[in-house]
Amino acid sequence: MKILNDNCVITNHEDIKVVDNFFTKECLEILKIRVLYSKYFDQKYSSYLAIDYFPTQDYLTDLIASEINNKFDVPEFQRAWSFLYTKNKSGVGLHCDPSVINLNIWVSSNESVLNPEKNGLHIYKVIPPKKWTREDWNNNSEKSLEYVRSKNVEPVKINYKSNRAIFFNGAYFHKTNEVSMKKGFENRRISYTLLFGNNLE
């Protein structure tokens, strides 16, 4: 199965790369169905569920990581996960990921979106101090919020679009711009994230 589209559209926002039409139609549909109809999740949060994918444990993720490595300049693949949002709430709060490159892809269709001003990603080009622990930068803490505010940095706002991928420094603070999807099981918001290279740890 072919994973990545040949006719993707790339837009650069300095060191943030946005790629539209990222996966083939077949790959995108498989990613949606296998998460939407899954009965097992590794983590359960108040408004979303998560499935983890580690190297050599998931065949499709290994294929995806390999094709991305061949087409884009990324470090070694570390891990991936899918999020299935069950409620229209704030989504994933402000945090960092321990990666050189974070790749976030939105899987759900554009027709499933209720409010087009929501569901996107806000990326703050701010990196946590070296002395901070994982608990400091990865738990949507008041400490992180205050630190980002102190830098007076406006976020790079990436709007939601189905099959849109965003490459960025995982050490940048980032968060979901809330979740607003139409009612119905098939309309649930699904995202897929891969981490490449080690950072912050």
Side-chain angles (χ1 to χ4, degrees):
M1 180 182 70
K2 186 172 176 55
I3 302 295
L4 302 183
N5 261 321
D6 293 325
N7 58 339
C8 62
V9 179
I10 301 174
T11 305
N12 292 309
H13 301 266
E14 296 180 354
D15 60 341
I16 298 172
K17 184 188 301 292
V18 176
V19 185
D20 288 323
N21 202 25
F22 189 70
F23 288 127
T24 61
K25 184 178 180 180
E26 181 183 11
C27 182
L28 189 71
E29 189 65 18
I30 289 172
L31 287 172
K32 176 181 178 179
I33 289 173
R34 75 169 184 163
V35 175
L36 193 62
Y37 290 93
S38 178
K39 289 188 176 181
Y40 174 81
F41 293 90
D42 294 289
Q43 301 290 336
K44 296 182 179 181
Y45 302 93
S46 62
S47 61
Y48 58 94
L49 308 170
I51 301 176
D52 296 326
Y53 310 105
F54 293 96
T56 73
Q57 291 184 352
D58 179 66
Y59 183 70
L60 180 55
T61 297
D62 287 344
L63 282 177
I64 291 171
S66 178
E67 280 210 24
I68 290 171
N69 188 53
N70 290 335
K71 189 168 183 176
F72 297 92
D73 184 19
V74 294
E76 184 179 2
F77 170 64
Q78 300 299 323
R79 62 167 298 187
W81 60 81
S82 289
F83 283 157
L84 173 66
Y85 293 81
T86 58
K87 298 177 183 177
N88 282 350
K89 289 192 173 182
S90 59
V92 180
L94 190 69
H95 71 287
C96 302
D97 289 313
S99 61
V100 175
I101 296 293
N102 182 314
L103 174 56
N104 185 89
I105 310 107
W106 293 313
V107 176
S108 304
S109 70
N110 294 326
E111 290 73 23
S112 294
V113 173
L114 179 62
N115 184 348
E117 299 299 318
K118 305 297 183 182
N119 302 303
L121 185 67
H122 287 184
I123 303 170
Y124 296 83
K125 293 187 177 183
V126 175
I127 295 174
K130 291 183 178 180
K131 63 181 180 180
W132 278 25
T133 65
R134 184 185 184 91
E135 186 174 347
D136 290 327
W137 49 257
N138 198 45
N139 286 324
N140 190 29
S141 65
E142 188 63 32
K143 185 175 183 178
S144 293
L145 293 170
E146 289 177 358
Y147 182 73
V148 170
R149 288 192 195 108
S150 73
K151 297 300 181 180
N152 294 316
V153 174
E154 289 295 318
V156 177
K157 298 179 180 180
I158 310 296
N159 293 331
Y160 183 94
K161 185 177 182 181
S162 180
N163 208 11
R164 169 171 283 175
I166 306 104
F167 291 80
F168 63 98
N169 183 347
Y172 285 156
F173 283 98
H174 54 282
K175 67 175 183 177
T176 302
N177 178 31
E178 302 183 34
V179 175
S180 179
M181 306 296 282
K182 295 176 183 177
K183 292 182 179 179
F185 180 76
E186 292 281 346
N187 291 322
R188 289 183 173 181
R189 185 181 186 275
I190 298 170
S191 63
Y192 188 66
T193 299
L194 301 95
L195 304 187
F196 295 91
N198 289 312
N199 203 351
L200 298 178
E201 295 182 326

